């Protein structure tokens, strides 16, 4: 790879901690590219479910993952298409979340998605959002963040997001689903969700978006000035 001098900022952590919003705002602010790695796992999960593949055949799933025709919108943000079909909405359903964390637990599937993620490292820089961005995919990132928040705060955020979109939701069920998915993400044998040793951990339970962005920008400004 000849792009190792291009700066990468990683944002990892469990779902509904504000990672996605932060990553998108930061990428827009810096005019960097954006990698929403969760969407790759979601697309693979939905495609596997549609194709009726068995999760017990890792090599079949890995080959399938390598051959998927995925197109992201401008700078990696916005819409995403699978075989030319806009799947931006379907990958955000419960099926998308559940299947993403199931295919994400398959080592061969993770390996198969690696090159696609590395390819996002383009000039002038990249903000990468996921679970293993700072630990596995971009271990040489110049600034690494790991966002956390209490399970209740996260479920409350997800609940509000769904209601705002006009989607009915049951709070205790949401809390249970978030908890199950996090447990699976934390306990898998490869790339478990955990902060990199050199990550800055930010608890967002009591912070609003602008407060998180403010903290992150302070660190990022220092990190980028060291790079140049
Ligand atoms: O970030 P998002 O909620 O869209 O991710 C969906 C699922 O994809 C996660 O619960 C996780 O299981 C998987 N994932 C992963 N590694 C990443 C990003 C997402 O395993 N880097």
């Amino acid at each position: 790879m000849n792009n190792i001098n291009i700066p990468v900022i990683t944002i990892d952590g469990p779902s509904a901690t504000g990672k996605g919003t932060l990553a998108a705002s930061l990428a827009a602010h810096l005019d960097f590219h954006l990698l929403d790695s969760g969407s790759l796992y979601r697309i693979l999960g939905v495609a596997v479910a549609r194709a009726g593949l068995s999760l017990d055949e890792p090599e079949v799933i890995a080959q399938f993952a390598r051959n998927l025709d995925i197109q992201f919108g401008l700078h990696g943000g916005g819409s995403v298409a699978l075989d030319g079909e806009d799947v931006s909405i379907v990958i955000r359903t419960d099926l998308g979340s559940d299947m993403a964390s199931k295919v994400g637990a398959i080592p061969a599937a993770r390996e198969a998605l690696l090159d696609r993620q590395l390819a996002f490292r383009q000039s002038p820089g990249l903000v990468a959002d996921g679970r293993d961005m700072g630990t596995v995919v971009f271990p040489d990132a110049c600034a690494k963040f790991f966002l956390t928040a209490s399970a209740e705060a996260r479920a409350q955020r997800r609940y509000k997001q769904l209601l705002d979109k006009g989607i009915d939701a049951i709070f205790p069920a949401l809390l249970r689903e978030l908890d199950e998915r996090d447990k699976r993400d934390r306990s898998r044998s490869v790339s478990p969700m955990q902060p990199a040793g050199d990550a800055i951990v930010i608890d967002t339970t009591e912070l609003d978006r602008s407060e998180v962005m403010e903290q992150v920008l302070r660190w990022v400004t220092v990190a980028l000035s060291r790079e140049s």
Side-chain angles (χ1 to χ4, degrees):
M1 283 272 159
N2 59 0
N3 55 1
I4 52 167
N5 292 324
I6 297 171
V8 180
I9 297 160
T10 58
I11 303 176
D12 290 305
S15 45
T17 47
K19 270 179 313 131
T21 313
L22 172 67
S25 314
L26 193 59
H29 182 85
L30 299 169
D31 209 14
F32 276 15
H33 295 270
L34 174 66
L35 166 61
D36 166 10
S37 61
S39 66
L40 282 175
Y41 287 92
R42 287 173 180 273
I43 292 169
L44 175 59
V46 167
V48 162
R50 283 181 174 180
L53 298 181
S54 159
L55 293 169
D56 296 331
E57 294 196 77
E59 281 314 321
V60 173
I61 292 192
Q63 192 55 38
F64 184 72
R66 275 189 279 271
N67 292 335
L68 285 180
D69 171 14
I70 302 172
Q71 295 292 329
F72 284 94
L74 191 67
H75 282 195
S79 65
V80 58
L82 171 65
D83 290 328
E85 176 198 339
D86 187 337
V87 289
S88 319
I89 295 182
V90 68
I91 62 168
R92 300 285 152 202
T93 59
D94 284 349
L95 170 83
S97 307
D98 187 53
M99 285 303 294
S101 97
K102 287 183 175 154
V103 294
I106 302 173
R110 304 195 72 83
E111 178 68 33
L113 293 180
L114 195 57
D115 283 347
R116 285 186 201 256
Q117 297 175 72
L118 295 174
F120 275 78
R121 191 172 194 168
Q122 300 280 337
S123 191
L126 174 68
V127 178
D129 149 15
R131 304 290 185 289
D132 61 343
M133 298 294 99
T135 48
V136 175
V137 182
F138 301 108
D140 62 336
C142 65
K144 301 179 184 179
F145 299 92
F146 191 91
L147 302 194
T148 62
S150 71
E152 285 71 20
R154 296 190 293 118
Q156 196 66 53
R157 282 176 197 161
R158 187 50 50 84
Y159 184 65
K160 187 170 176 310
Q161 276 169 1
L162 291 173
L163 292 193
D164 286 349
K165 284 186 197 157
I167 301 171
D168 266 347
I170 302 163
F171 185 78
L174 269 183
L175 189 59
R176 199 175 50 244
E177 280 158 20
L178 274 183
D179 190 50
E180 274 170 18
R181 192 144 65 92
D182 290 347
K183 271 194 194 126
R184 194 152 54 207
D185 290 351
R186 262 196 306 264
S187 60
R188 65 183 171 223
S189 62
V190 282
S191 308
M193 173 177 67
Q194 61 184 21
D198 50 352
I200 295 146
V201 179
I202 301 179
D203 184 338
T204 68
T205 307
E206 304 286 343
L207 301 176
D208 67 23
R209 286 172 188 182
S210 59
E211 290 168 320
V212 179
M213 178 74 167
E214 209 177 291
Q215 282 198 25
V216 164
L217 265 182
R218 248 183 271 138
W219 289 100
V220 166
T221 309
V222 175
L224 291 178
S225 68
R226 275 201 210 111
E227 293 281 291
S228 55

